[in-house]
Amino acid sequence: MKAPDNGLIHVSEDRVFNLSNQRISYIFRVSPEGILEHVHFGGAIASGHGLSAGPRREFRGAVLEFQGIKHYQLDDTPQEYPLFGTSDSRQPALHVLNSAGNTVNTLLYKSHEVSSTKPKLPNLPNARGGNSRTLKVRLEDAVSRLEVTLSYTIYEHHNVVTRSAEIRNAGTEAVRLDSAMSSCVDLPQGEYELLHLRGSWSREFEVERVGVPQGRFVIESARGTSSNAHNPFLALMSKGTEEQHGDVIGTALMYSGNFAIAVEKNEFESVRITVGINPFNFQWRLEPSEIFSTPEAVHVFSNQGLDAMSQTWHGFVNDKVSPPQFSSKARPTYLNSWEAAYFNVNHDVVLGLADKAKALGVEMLVLDDGWFMGRNNDTSSLGDWQTDVGKFPQGIEETARQVKAKGLKFGLWFEPEMISKASQLYTAHPEWLIQVPDRVLSTGRYQHTLDLSRQDVVDYLFECLDSFLSTGLIDYIKWDMNRVMSEVGSTALPASRQLEVPHRYMLGLYRLVGKITSKYPNVLFENCASGGNRFDLGLLHFMSQGWVSDMCDPIGRLSIISGASYLFPLSTLASYIGPVPNHQNGRVSSVKMRKEVGFFAAARGLSLSEADLESAQEEIIDAISLYKATAQDLVEGRFHRIKNTGNEVCWQLNSKCGGRVYVGYYHVLSAPNLPFRRTKLVNLDASASYRLQCRNTNFGGDALMNLGFDLPYIDAMQEPDDNGDGHRMDPGDFVSRLLLFKRN
Ligand code: GLA
């Protein structure tokens, strides 16, 4: 077999499919029986030698032999899209109740095609193509008349393979999908660890790392949003992997609803990753000739540890996932009205805040909740998207016009997917709620979810948003979503289709955000769901940035940003300097600390009371000026996690050209007589020299990477660092230093 040409995909005569760029390969083949067998996902293999050997066909005790073929046991055969019930007893990629009333199906290879165009998934977000090749492989079950098309895309410049599946009912009777995963990767026996991002409200993106045991480990959501409990991302790695070394396969689902990522290690220590829509509480009725498309799964490979994995995700998200018109565009600093006024907003308050914003150097004013009809607290009015003329007598348009006349941009808060029972919309359309008959509905923040599986609801919401955006006065939308789903059902669907509602909802949501964001490509959309309750690649495809957490306390943010950065580039993160004592955890921290943690996000701003804005005016002016001066580096730079002991965190950001290197060092709790700490930096030019601005000292790039430099230290017994040389931090708890190295 020849090495793949720069066409990226090579198919040999004996049907070995080799998807390779210069650095990674994804290889599978068709077995003599027609089963699609996985061969390799990892470092590049250009030669074809040895690829068609194995899996071993040996006697295996009590293990079943597929179709009676001697020693061919699917239970220990790595496969691409496995099914249950024909000698593989692990969790399948696809589980279908066929028209004969059983779930025994077999998929065999039929044909394939390679294309340089990456097709779009219907109504679902997908990574863009370009410098890529897509392979489609068609499989069939001749008995149950199922046709499955697996799509694989490999990129020339990213160490990424994307996958999705299309299931078509080619029979004459309806079938029921009980599970239709996007991808399955069967890995060879080995000692693995996994890392995933767990959390809760205001504690999103906590990193958990565990060894992979025999059995199944699943992260999932059944709440209707991808959720803050588990982000739809998981890294599986060789035991002992660190930031700078080790083999890692990262997997994420480009989807914002119920998902599952499972890692299953069986008795032969083979490891299976499956990823897709959560099979729990999911069913889909597929009529003859209908097609079901799964969301897209993204797999990345790094043989240089977790840092390189994150660099791959960051580059890929910026290049192929988030809206291209914003991904490398500096984001405006903003003042949000929420903590300054809560629901007590009106024309004069907003104009007053606009004056403050202007005086502080801020570039955009965001009018948060409280501006629409009857919305004086959180018990009412969601769904009634018309201006409250008691508060804004000349309409939001006039307020926006006057804010913009001051030279500011104007942003507006919406929570489109929600409805309050105390609203005109509910009176007119009680059937528009997500609901099941004869049950009292659970509430979350007094509100209910609109049924976006209905096209009339999607149309209504589009018109509401369009009526504001068509004025041309709105530069930014904060798209909030503050409750998860319960009692899930739709008045528009028959009983046999009620379990389709969560996925139909997502399709409706994507239709809505797809239509509105493509009609207004220059409006910046921020995705928010009580913070990070729906922060995923699916919505990032439409909305350039996300409110990663309601937690604005800088210590709380340290673990949130560290965790989010495994997958998400700083260009997608929003942050602001919030009030003290912090509203979520009660901690008091300095403006300096809040500024220096908040620094590491592309979209930066303020949400403070008027009194706070007044009392900290000088420091805030400094912060905003720093944020504006570095805005381009935050969207285009490369971020590295340098150190994290829990009590000490160090981050590094290199500007795109590498000429500026920002190092944030954060110390949580103080202690006496601490050791002097040194840290090494990464990804510098070894032959260049860098000047640490505050110490006026030059360092070689090689010295910074191999020897490191002395971190600032805390010594409460000595004078604070008043000559600004960056050696000593303020004494006490919750202190930080932001250092800048410039390449000479
Ligand atoms: C959510 C958001 C807040 C604010 C309020 C408004 O809680 O996270 O930032 O927008 O809604 O009701």
Side-chain angles (χ1 to χ4, degrees):
M1 192 179 88
K2 279 196 303 213
D5 55 22
N6 50 12
L8 299 167
I9 293 177
H10 183 270
V11 185
S12 70
E13 277 166 17
D14 56 349
R15 297 215 182 91
V16 177
F17 299 87
N18 185 334
L19 290 69
S20 289
N21 60 27
Q22 299 299 312
R23 303 161 306 278
I24 64 164
S25 290
Y26 190 107
I27 303 174
F28 57 96
R29 63 161 178 234
V30 182
S31 81
E33 296 78 12
I35 299 283
L36 226 51
E37 293 181 351
H38 181 78
V39 176
H40 170 73
F41 180 36
I45 300 178
S47 78
H49 307 302
L51 292 182
S52 48
R56 281 192 304 271
R57 296 191 180 206
E58 302 282 352
F59 174 69
R60 274 275 191 195
V63 178
L64 298 175
E65 294 168 325
F66 174 65
Q67 294 185 345
I69 300 161
K70 192 169 180 198
H71 298 164
Y72 190 40
Q73 298 110 347
L74 293 187
D75 236 349
D76 198 21
T77 299
Q79 295 156 74
E80 284 299 302
Y81 208 63
L83 289 88
F84 173 83
T86 62
S87 85
D88 188 343
S89 48
R90 293 169 287 177
Q91 288 286 313
L94 182 70
H95 201 55
V96 181
L97 184 75
N98 57 37
S99 57
N102 66 69
T103 54
V104 179
N105 304 290
T106 295
L107 290 171
L108 300 179
Y109 169 86
K110 276 292 155 213
S111 61
H112 71 269
E113 59 182 348
V114 176
S115 148
S116 55
T117 315
K118 184 170 189 286
K120 290 195 167 138
L121 295 178
N123 279 327
L124 286 163
N126 50 201
R128 292 180 291 277
N131 297 318
S132 65
R133 291 287 185 282
T134 297
L135 167 68
K136 283 184 178 250
V137 182
R138 200 156 68 88
L139 311 170
E140 269 182 28
D141 183 327
V143 178
S144 52
R145 309 287 311 279
L146 283 173
E147 292 176 4
V148 172
T149 304
L150 302 180
S151 294
Y152 300 79
T153 299
I154 180 152
Y155 292 83
E156 194 177 344
H157 303 302
H158 300 283
N159 297 343
V160 170
V161 171
T162 63
R163 285 190 55 179
S164 62
E166 250 180 33
I167 297 105
R168 181 170 181 272
N169 179 1
T172 52
E173 288 174 60
V175 300
R176 192 183 80 198
L177 308 187
D178 288 342
S179 172
M181 304 306 276
S182 302
S183 174
C184 168
V185 184
D186 275 352
L187 299 169
Q189 180 279 336
E191 278 201 78
Y192 297 97
E193 291 176 89
L194 63 84
L195 180 152
H196 70 110
L197 303 170
R198 66 180 191 199
S200 180
W201 172 75
S202 273
R203 283 195 286 107
E204 296 89 343
F205 298 106
E206 290 176 353
V207 176
E208 181 166 68
R209 182 177 175 152
V210 287
V212 174
Q214 281 194 20
R216 282 183 87 229
F217 174 92
V218 188
I219 55 167
E220 62 185 336
S221 169
R223 309 166 188 213
T225 75
S226 49
S227 107
N228 49 25
H230 299 288
N231 198 267
F233 156 79
L234 184 144
L236 188 75
M237 55 208 167
S238 50
K239 194 175 174 187
T241 289
E242 297 294 347
E243 286 288 340
Q244 303 299 331
H245 68 85
D247 285 355
V248 191
I249 290 176
T251 294
L253 190 65
M254 203 179 286
Y255 190 60
S256 313
N258 296 338
F259 78 95
I261 306 180
V263 176
E264 181 171 2
K265 188 175 191 177
N266 73 356
E267 67 266 46
F268 306 117
E269 297 179 17
S270 305
V271 172
R272 168 171 291 176
I273 307 171
T274 49
V275 50
I277 293 174
N278 193 346
F280 171 69
N281 212 29
F282 165 85
Q283 277 182 6
W284 194 274
R285 187 179 161 85
L286 204 60
E287 298 290 344
S289 303
E290 279 184 352
I291 292 175
F292 181 85
S293 295
T294 72
E296 187 162 68
V298 188
H299 301 289
V300 313
F301 175 73
S302 151
N303 60 5
Q304 287 164 42
L306 289 160
D307 182 23
M309 176 200 71
S310 295
Q311 299 311 317
T312 300
W313 281 119
H314 296 177
F316 186 70
V317 168
N318 282 333
D319 190 21
K320 301 294 183 192
V321 179
S322 59
Q325 67 275 30
F326 282 109
S327 58
S328 57
K329 194 168 174 183
R331 308 296 159 78
T333 50
Y334 60 97
L335 173 63
N336 181 298
S337 66
W338 185 236
E339 262 89 7
Y342 290 103
F343 293 99
N344 302 318
V345 286
N346 61 39
H347 178 80
D348 292 341
V349 167
V350 172
L351 267 284
L353 285 173
D355 285 335
K356 288 241 153 42
K358 195 70 196 157
L360 296 166
V362 169
E363 294 156 294
M364 177 163 76
L365 186 87
V366 177
L367 172 51
D368 208 280
D369 201 350
W371 59 266
F372 49 97
M373 216 170 23
R375 180 75 167 174
N376 296 318
N377 53 51
D378 56 8
T379 62
S380 79
S381 307
L382 291 168
D384 294 346
W385 298 110
Q386 290 143 43
T387 307
D388 188 325
V389 286
K391 297 178 182 175
F392 299 91
Q394 295 159 280
I396 286 294
E397 294 81 350
E398 183 52 29
T399 306
R401 209 169 275 121
Q402 292 187 27
V403 168
K404 290 171 80 84
K406 295 178 192 294
L408 293 165
K409 291 177 185 292
F410 181 76
L412 198 55
W413 180 95
F414 281 91
E415 194 176 358
E417 299 157 72
M418 294 293 145
I419 179 166
S420 312
K421 279 198 169 171
S423 68
Q424 292 183 3
L425 186 66
Y426 181 72
T427 310
H429 288 292
E431 77 284 9
W432 278 10
L433 260 72
I434 291 257
Q435 58 191 280
V436 293
D438 308 321
R439 303 281 165 199
V440 180
L441 303 184
S442 307
T443 51
R445 211 191 185 202
Y446 311 100
Q447 63 200 50
H448 297 269
T449 311
L450 279 169
D451 179 3
L452 270 73
S453 75
R454 296 177 63 119
Q455 188 57 38
D456 48 5
V457 172
V458 170
D459 291 343
Y460 167 78
L461 293 174
F462 177 80
E463 277 158 32
C464 290
L465 291 159
D466 192 40
S467 70
F468 288 92
L469 287 169
S470 60
T471 62
L473 294 162
I474 294 171
D475 302 292
Y476 157 103
I477 296 275
K478 179 174 172 184
W479 184 298
D480 212 338
M481 199 288 301
N482 283 311
R483 68 155 287 176
V484 295
M485 292 180 199
S486 61
E487 294 88 23
V488 179
S490 171
T491 55
L493 290 171
S496 60
R497 290 192 179 274
Q498 291 296 312
L499 295 188
E500 298 176 10
V501 173
H503 182 58
R504 287 184 182 274
Y505 180 99
M506 293 319 305
L507 297 176
L509 174 66
Y510 290 139
R511 274 202 304 281
L512 175 62
V513 294
K515 193 169 167 191
I516 200 80
T517 54
S518 56
K519 182 162 181 193
Y520 299 101
N522 298 321
V523 174
L524 178 63
F525 282 78
E526 181 168 313
N527 164 38
C528 174
S530 306
N533 207 6
R534 200 173 57 185
F535 200 106
D536 50 61
L537 298 183
L539 278 168
L540 254 184
H541 179 72
F542 304 100
M543 304 192 190
S544 309
Q545 61 193 48
W547 184 236
V548 67
S549 177
D550 280 350
M551 171 56 71
C552 288
D553 167 62
I555 304 302
R557 278 253 158 180
L558 286 178
S559 57
I560 291 167
I561 300 295
S562 291
S565 76
Y566 280 90
L567 177 58
F568 299 106
L570 298 188
S571 61
T572 67
L573 307 183
S575 180
Y576 51 53
I577 297 176
V580 288
N582 176 268
H583 292 185
Q584 280 74 39
N585 65 9
R587 183 176 286 122
V588 175
S589 58
S590 64
V591 174
K592 175 174 163 35
M593 179 88 181
R594 282 176 274 161
K595 168 184 96 175
E596 293 187 348
V597 175
F599 178 86
F600 287 90
R604 300 172 292 187
L606 308 166
S607 182
L608 291 169
S609 70
E610 296 209 35
D612 287 344
L613 289 172
E614 208 65 59
S615 63
Q617 184 163 323
E618 288 312 311
E619 282 177 288
I620 289 173
I621 288 173
D622 270 3
I624 296 297
S625 136
L626 172 74
Y627 287 176
K628 288 200 295 201
T630 55
Q632 197 63 39
D633 289 344
L634 264 293
V635 280
E636 292 187 313
R638 293 183 73 162
F639 178 79
H640 303 274
R641 299 170 298 270
I642 296 297
K643 180 187 188 69
N644 192 345
T645 64
N647 200 44
E648 287 166 74
V649 174
C650 186
W651 294 328
Q652 177 186 338
L653 175 76
N654 294 3
S655 61
K656 186 180 179 190
C657 64
R660 292 174 295 282
V661 179
Y662 305 90
V663 177
Y665 178 55
Y666 310 96
H667 205 288
V668 179
L669 292 181
S670 177
N673 215 8
L674 286 165
F676 294 121
R677 298 228 194 266
R678 173 178 280 272
T679 200
K680 293 175 185 171
L681 300 183
V682 297
N683 190 23
L684 302 178
D685 177 351
S687 58
S689 87
Y690 295 81
R691 174 169 293 260
L692 175 54
Q693 296 301 107
C694 57
R695 290 185 200 163
N696 221 3
T697 313
N698 287 328
F699 294 85
D702 49 4
L704 286 171
M705 290 193 288
N706 296 317
L707 173 63
F709 77 104
D710 291 326
L711 286 166
Y713 65 95
I714 300 179
D715 188 344
M717 313 287 283
Q718 295 192 51
E719 289 298 302
D721 181 14
D722 48 11
N723 61 3
D725 69 1
H727 276 299
R728 209 169 301 145
M729 300 172 89
D730 291 336
D733 298 333
F734 321 133
V735 292
S736 64
R737 267 284 177 176
L738 183 64
L739 304 169
L740 172 60
F741 292 83
K742 277 192 177 167
R743 193 172 53 197
N744 291 312

